[in-house]
Structures are given as structure tokens and as C-alpha cells.
Amino acid sequence: MTEEMAILVTVDENYLEPLETMLFSLREHHLNQRMTIWLIHEEIPETKLEKLQQLIDSFGWQLAPVAVTQYIFKEAPTVTRYPKEMYFRLLCGKILPKEVERILYLDPDLLVINSLNPLWELDLEGKLLAAASHRGVTNITNSLNQLRLNTDHPYYNSGVMLIDLEKARETISIEAINETIDRYGPYLLLPDQDVLNHLYGKYVKEVPDDVWNYDARKYVSYLAKSMGEYDIHQVMNQTAIVHFCGKPKPWKEKSDTRFTGLYLDYVHRLKHYKQQHKLVKE
């Protein structure tokens, strides 16, 4: 068993069910791994936190919730799809205790289907964080984002990030974030991800998205880019994280992708797990 892994999640109460599914998938591939789940939130009700606590206790892990009220972004473009909880990850170095030196941020809308230990143990080589870029076959979207945000590096997806918190505390500034939001607000399509790329993309160590942040919408794109080699068998053997970017999300009825069934299987397995461990009312 490797050292304890520190996982960061930032959600509101509306995403607790997907969060439980994600954490259950994480548990299924790390049965002997010690974990602390750091949950940064603003106002999740105590009763709902208690249910999450019970689930995580059953895994043998630690839940460390941190309620945040002081780190609210001035005039941040927060809408239903991008609640302000998503911004907490940008300031996680300021929010979390100083003894936490490294953390792995995971979006709630993903599945872990293989071990994350190689990512957790990755040498960041002095970089602020590690993340993946969804380049696609033509790389057109990446180029447009570079133009839109005035950057010269790949456009990184912020759904999976290994963060050096000591460097984050030195580098990431709430003043710079607020200034970027004020200046580029109308152009921020994915607000916190755009801010991350504009301000801190040059400090990112890139990791392969087909392994660490596989976009579930783009199976055909991955297959084409690999000349037919990265098929579903390779995904199940080599991919560690399948990320359900965009809409509809896999827990919605309108979702019907190649990976929807995989997601729903974890949902059903979690339901049975809760019944077996008496985590649901009869």
C-alpha cells in the first residue's frame, strides 16, 4: 500500500449523488488505499454531509469537509452550470491546511476505472500542477482557445488536476483571479477553467488525456487519432479516468453514449453496496 492519497472535491448539495458514484468507483480500484477526501463547500446541509460521511466511513477513509464563506469571487460569472463551488479549487492552497502539500482534484462527473497511484506519485518537475488537454484529431478547439485567452500553451481541462499546494500558495492570487474575471468576463466560456489556463497554464505539466482524463464524448476521435488502436478494450485496460464532459450527464435519461452503461453499472453497484452496509433506509 502506498502513502495516503489526498483527494479534493468541490461541490454543492445538488452534485452529492454523482459525487458518491465517483467516490465509489475510486474505492473499487483502491481497496487497500488510505484516503482523505477533502470537500470544500459553501453551505451543504449537515444532514447531507452526515450521509456522505457514513458512506466514506464504510470505505475506511476520512472525510474532511471545509465550509468556505470568505473566498467568494467578486462578480464571478457563476451560473447554474458553473456554481461558485467550482472556483474553490483555484484557491484550494489558501483554503486547505498547510500540512496538506499535494492533492488530487477530481470532478464529480467522472468514473475511476483503474488505479490512480501512478498519477498521484507523478514527479511534477517543479510545475504547479499536472493536467490533460483534450486536443482531438485536428486540434482546432485548442487553437481557438489559445487565441481567445491569449496563451501559447495547450488548453488544459481542469476536471482532473494533481496540484502542488505549496507552489499553489506561492503562485495563485485571488487578486489576479478577480482581475482576470473583471477583464475577460464576457469571454469566459468555462469560467474557472479559462481563468486557470489564462493565468497558470504555463505552469502545468501535461499528462495524456487518454489515460488520465478521457473525454467520454470522443470515443471515435480517440480511435481515429490512434489509427484504430485505442478501442474500448484499450480504454478498459489503460484508461484510469473517464470524464463525462458536457451534457447530458450520464445519470440523465437523455444520455445514451458508449459509456453511459458503464456509468449506470456503477450507480447500481453503489445502490447494492449501500443496502448491504445498511446505509439506506429500508
Side-chain angles (χ1 to χ4, degrees):
M1 183 171 61
T2 59
E3 64 177 302
E4 180 174 317
M5 193 180 295
I7 302 294
L8 172 64
V9 292
T10 61
V11 300
D12 61 21
E13 62 180 295
N14 297 314
Y15 259 77
L16 285 176
E17 285 190 15
L19 174 62
E20 287 187 354
T21 302
M22 184 274 281
L23 292 175
F24 180 70
S25 73
L26 178 65
R27 178 255 183 192
E28 290 291 271
H29 297 281
H30 300 81
L31 293 176
N32 297 312
Q33 176 75 53
R34 291 179 296 118
M35 297 261 188
T36 296
I37 309 300
W38 291 91
L39 167 60
I40 301 178
H41 69 99
E42 185 180 26
E43 49 185 2
I44 297 178
E46 191 64 31
T47 54
K48 294 190 175 183
L49 282 177
E50 288 174 359
K51 292 181 180 179
L52 181 62
Q53 178 79 63
Q54 290 173 1
L55 178 65
I56 291 176
D57 284 348
S58 76
F59 295 164
W61 297 349
Q62 300 294 319
L63 175 64
V66 180
V68 174
T69 57
Q70 67 269 39
Y71 291 101
I72 304 301
F73 287 70
K74 183 183 68 174
E75 298 178 2
T78 55
V79 294
T80 301
R81 190 180 177 195
Y82 307 109
K84 54 182 168 290
E85 283 77 9
M86 294 184 65
Y87 289 89
F88 295 158
R89 60 186 149 180
L90 291 170
L91 285 179
C92 63
K94 309 286 187 184
I95 299 171
L96 297 178
K98 289 187 177 180
E99 57 264 28
V100 185
E101 299 177 353
R102 166 179 285 219
I103 204 155
L104 179 57
Y105 171 83
L106 299 174
D107 264 354
D109 61 342
L110 58 79
L111 287 178
V112 177
I113 63 172
N114 278 301
S115 174
L116 301 186
N117 280 311
L119 179 60
W120 174 250
E121 297 166 358
L122 181 70
D123 182 357
L124 287 173
E125 300 176 334
K127 296 288 188 178
L128 169 65
L129 60 90
S133 174
H134 293 148
R135 297 172 184 267
V137 177
T138 62
N139 204 32
I140 291 177
T141 302
N142 194 59
S143 298
L144 290 175
N145 282 321
Q146 289 177 334
L147 180 64
R148 179 171 62 87
L149 298 172
N150 190 29
T151 60
D152 59 1
H153 51 73
Y155 184 79
Y156 299 106
N157 183 277
S158 60
V160 178
M161 297 184 292
L162 177 66
I163 307 170
D164 181 332
L165 289 179
E166 293 184 329
K167 286 198 172 295
R169 294 175 183 115
E170 298 171 358
T171 308
I172 298 179
S173 158
I174 190 171
E175 291 78 16
I177 293 170
N178 280 336
E179 181 181 344
T180 298
I181 291 172
D182 287 341
R183 182 175 180 182
Y184 293 97
Y187 305 100
L188 301 179
L189 303 179
L190 301 174
D192 69 318
Q193 188 165 278
D194 284 351
V195 170
L196 173 74
N197 276 275
H198 176 72
L199 287 175
Y200 308 113
K202 59 187 175 182
Y203 306 120
V204 174
K205 176 182 176 68
E206 186 172 4
V207 294
D209 63 320
D210 56 356
V211 178
W212 301 115
N213 196 337
Y214 186 103
D215 189 336
R217 301 169 297 180
K218 298 181 178 179
Y219 173 78
V220 173
S221 176
Y222 287 107
L223 193 63
K225 190 165 62 172
S226 67
M227 302 296 289
E229 290 186 7
Y230 213 85
D231 60 12
I232 194 66
H233 301 280
Q234 293 283 69
V235 172
M236 297 308 296
N237 286 328
Q238 298 186 30
T239 293
I241 294 173
V242 175
H243 192 180
F244 294 88
C245 307
K247 290 187 176 182
K249 295 302 183 185
W251 54 88
K252 298 293 186 180
E253 290 185 0
K254 292 185 178 180
S255 175
D256 188 13
T257 71
R258 184 175 295 267
F259 296 99
T260 300
L262 177 64
Y263 187 90
L264 294 178
D265 179 61
Y266 276 95
V267 172
H268 292 311
R269 287 162 59 189
L270 173 59
K271 179 181 178 180
H272 293 312
Y273 177 90
K274 286 183 173 182
Q275 291 172 343
Q276 291 171 354
H277 290 77
K278 302 185 184 306
L279 299 176
V280 293
K281 294 182 179 179
E282 297 295 337

